[in-house]
Amino acid sequence: MGTSTARKLVFVTVGTTRFDALIEAISTPDALECLAVQGFTDLLIQIGASPEPTVGTAAGSDYVREVHDNKDTETKKGVLESRLTSLLRRRVAKRSTSGQIRGNEAVSVSWYRYKDSLRADMEAADLIISHAGAGSVMEGLNLGKALLVVVNTALMDDHQQELAHAMQKKGYLVATEPNGVVGMLQNYDQWQRSLILRPSPTPGLIPALLDQEMGFSSPDPVGTRGRYHEK
Amino acid sequence: MPSVVHLQGRSIMPTSDNIKTYEKEGGMAILDLQESFARTLAIFAAIYVLCIVSALLAFRLYVVLPNRVTNARVTPPSVTEQHVRTTPAALLVVLGSGGHTKEMLTMLQGLEPLRYRPLVFVRAESDARSEGMVKAALPPPSELPSSSVSFSKPDYVLTVPRSRSVGQSWLTTPLTTLRALAASVALVARLQPDVILCNGPGTCIPICAAGYILRFLGVKHVKIIFVESFCRVTTLSLTGKLLYWAADRFLVQWPGLRDKYPQAEYLGQLC
């Protein structure tokens, strides 16, 4: 089914644990409508340990071209289960989505649990919606992608949020809570244009420091010690 | 030496339990038994020796702590004489789960391989991914100049047991911590690194403690360089808080932290 529209992918990642609120937020009819309006054709969700999204069985199926389960786990049991559920889901999906395809406005939803490396999916994405884990955030920024970070307000640990907010302050990404996701998607074209590309870090600082400490190079009289670099 | 003592008009038999001096209304009865005198002497001597030894140990610790912590005016000879090192330095890098290893490998880019031999990485036993990441990150032999020793992997990737697993009972934690410390001491004593580089995982505490033991005993002056993780914006990790007082160089990646911890260095973001 060749379409003239280029694929526009939004990739959602929750990391190694679970983030039910984010997955629910992104798979509501409103969210899918926003995505379709913004021209996204595909929604790919890495769901980690969270329950499967319920897209395709609710009213949101208006905006869903197809729903399929692309589970990628390491356990045999998981694979078997996923094959069974994917069979069922395809049946359900065909029933509920047939005749409801709306051409360019439909968003194709798929999901999986884990992959060894999310890099390929992140590279292919036009928008990344990520939990506030440092690894995902940095990987998204280093790829120069439009990044929407969703902070898990249910978590006790605050320091993940600090990184997201600090990065937002610098203009490298936007951060929100699960109930702000739809609002952000509505304004996507505005904030996406205002994002600043994060400059790559200066390489070689630690090797230079090691060389100083070990005596391979003479210490800088002004010194890197205590020097304040503000960007 | 009296065998009978007159006390308050009574005569009592001195026993080895009596070590007392009495002064009552001008009268004085001193119990003077050889055993009790010797015992007192022994106790005071022990206290005296303990004080001397403690003072010596405290002084040794003061000598061994980094200058920035003690505010010592003396600078080490390598700085003032500008003597350039010609022998390789043994570098021990501590890896951790999660983003720690990734950050560490990013920070190490540009490390001159000939200067740091042996190059040893240490990971926790439970860490399955770090070893693969290390081997993938190091340059293949073809990228090195032909005269250099070629290597496609670090000299070693060693393991130590974890001090405490997530959710482990606090009752068994002291035992596992001791086990981790013992393994770390064995590793560090065998390797005798010139410098330990770490960025915050729990594994680095026993490793740095082992390094300090070597330093304290005068076996080897092991330097510790600590780089706080990039995701620490306003607070230090627990490991950071501990090593703030022990590391020779302590780096943070957000300027706000330097305001809170004035002895930390800020060189910008490193990953």
Side-chain angles (χ1 to χ4, degrees):
Chain A
M1 51 183 99
T3 67
S4 52
T5 332
R7 184 188 189 220
K8 195 168 171 186
L9 170 66
V10 52
F11 177 60
V12 179
T13 168
V14 307
T16 50
T17 51
R18 53 193 298 175
F19 193 176
D20 302 3
L22 170 56
I23 293 181
E24 283 162 27
I26 195 64
S27 47
T28 57
D30 288 340
L32 292 170
E33 180 178 347
C34 287
L35 287 179
V37 162
Q38 298 283 2
F40 287 100
T41 60
D42 293 80
L43 167 63
L44 177 61
I45 316 176
Q46 179 264 322
I47 68 171
S50 288
E52 303 171 6
T54 52
V55 178
T57 56
S61 59
D62 276 0
Y63 290 91
V64 177
R65 187 183 296 124
E66 63 196 53
V67 176
H68 54 267
D69 166 354
N70 187 16
K71 200 167 184 177
D72 213 324
T73 67
E74 280 152 7
T75 65
K76 256 197 193 149
K77 184 181 176 211
V79 170
L80 268 173
E81 275 174 6
S82 77
R83 288 210 183 118
L84 187 61
T85 41
S86 74
L87 262 170
L88 292 170
R89 289 180 73 59
R90 275 200 203 101
R91 297 236 156 92
V92 170
K94 277 194 182 122
R95 270 206 304 275
S96 62
T97 61
S98 62
Q100 288 166 342
I101 296 171
R102 290 195 186 180
N104 292 343
E105 286 179 23
V107 176
S108 171
V109 181
S110 42
W111 59 266
Y112 61 86
R113 291 200 178 271
Y114 302 104
K115 272 188 190 172
D116 272 347
S117 169
L118 303 182
R119 191 182 179 86
D121 288 326
M122 284 189 164
E123 271 182 292
D126 296 277
L127 167 65
I128 300 176
I129 303 178
S130 167
H131 73 128
S136 301
V137 169
M138 295 320 296
E139 194 156 11
L141 287 179
N142 288 337
L143 289 171
K145 296 291 177 179
L147 182 55
L148 170 62
V149 172
V150 184
V151 168
N152 192 347
T153 44
L155 282 183
M156 293 294 138
D157 186 357
D158 219 14
H159 94 261
Q160 268 193 356
Q161 300 187 22
E162 294 172 4
L163 182 64
H165 290 132
M167 286 291 161
Q168 172 169 251
K169 218 169 164 188
K170 296 203 166 193
Y172 299 144
L173 53 81
V174 289
T176 185
E177 298 180 7
N179 51 20
V181 169
V182 172
M184 281 300 183
L185 289 178
Q186 282 167 348
N187 299 329
Y188 166 72
D189 43 7
Q190 290 167 19
W191 56 259
Q192 183 258 330
R193 256 181 264 127
S194 68
L195 288 179
I196 304 169
L197 184 65
R198 179 179 182 250
S200 325
T202 317
L205 287 172
I206 294 295
L209 190 147
L210 279 169
D211 285 348
Q212 265 185 29
E213 282 297 308
M214 292 290 100
F216 289 115
S217 58
S218 49
D220 184 350
V222 172
T224 54
R225 193 188 294 256
R227 196 163 68 191
Y228 219 101
H229 291 246
E230 184 59 293
K231 297 223 166 137
Chain B
M1 219 154 341
S3 55
V4 170
V5 170
H6 298 276
L7 183 64
Q8 292 180 326
R10 291 181 292 124
S11 301
I12 56 172
M13 285 292 289
T15 64
S16 59
D17 291 335
N18 300 334
I19 313 172
K20 293 177 191 170
T21 302
Y22 291 91
E23 183 174 1
K24 288 262 177 198
E25 293 154 338
M28 204 165 27
I30 299 172
L31 208 62
D32 187 9
L33 294 178
Q34 204 165 33
E35 298 165 29
S36 51
F37 177 75
R39 175 174 299 201
T40 315
L41 190 62
I43 290 174
F44 279 119
I47 293 173
Y48 185 70
V49 167
L50 200 65
C51 288
I52 299 272
V53 170
S54 303
L56 287 174
L57 290 176
F59 179 70
R60 176 62 187 163
L61 184 65
Y62 171 82
V63 165
V64 147
L65 281 175
N67 283 349
R68 65 170 182 83
V69 171
T70 59
N71 282 323
R73 302 249 175 260
V74 178
T75 48
S78 61
V79 173
T80 50
E81 292 168 5
Q82 306 248 323
H83 166 73
V84 174
R85 187 192 186 112
T86 50
T87 53
L91 170 59
L92 177 60
V93 180
V94 181
L95 303 172
S97 55
H100 290 287
T101 298
K102 205 185 283 188
E103 271 195 54
M104 181 60 82
L105 292 173
T106 307
M107 286 195 301
L108 281 176
Q109 280 174 17
L111 188 74
E112 185 59 58
L114 297 178
R115 289 180 176 173
Y116 296 95
R117 311 309 304 270
L119 172 60
V120 179
F121 291 82
V122 61
R123 63 171 177 92
E125 273 174 356
S126 54
D127 183 353
R129 299 191 59 175
S130 289
E131 188 157 352
M133 289 167 73
V134 167
K135 292 182 177 173
L138 292 182
S142 56
E143 284 182 24
L144 297 172
S146 53
S147 58
S148 73
V149 176
S150 68
F151 70 98
S152 60
K153 55 179 180 8
D155 295 313
Y156 315 92
V157 179
L158 301 175
T159 63
V160 286
R162 289 190 71 162
S163 307
R164 178 174 175 266
S165 313
V166 176
Q168 181 181 330
S169 150
W170 287 103
L171 286 176
T172 54
T173 297
L175 294 173
T176 47
T177 304
L178 280 176
R179 181 166 156 252
L181 183 60
S184 304
V185 170
L187 191 155
V188 172
R190 197 170 79 231
L191 177 67
Q192 300 213 356
D194 291 284
V195 57
I196 297 175
L197 176 63
C198 50
N199 69 348
T203 323
C204 68
I205 293 294
I207 295 284
C208 291
Y212 248 86
I213 289 172
L214 253 65
R215 186 157 148 169
F216 186 85
L217 296 175
V219 174
K220 180 104 186 219
H221 189 76
V222 178
K223 289 197 169 179
I224 295 176
I225 296 180
F226 184 86
V227 183
E228 184 59 274
S229 167
F230 171 77
C231 58
R232 288 287 175 175
V233 181
T234 58
T235 54
L236 285 189
S237 59
L238 174 62
T239 319
K241 285 178 190 164
L242 292 173
L243 287 175
Y244 181 64
W245 301 108
D248 292 273
R249 302 290 284 267
F250 189 93
L251 269 68
V252 292
Q253 299 192 50
W254 290 90
L257 276 176
R258 191 175 172 270
D259 301 333
K260 253 193 196 171
Y261 296 92
Q263 296 203 18
E265 292 174 61
Y266 170 70
L267 302 180
Q269 288 167 9
L270 301 171
C271 67

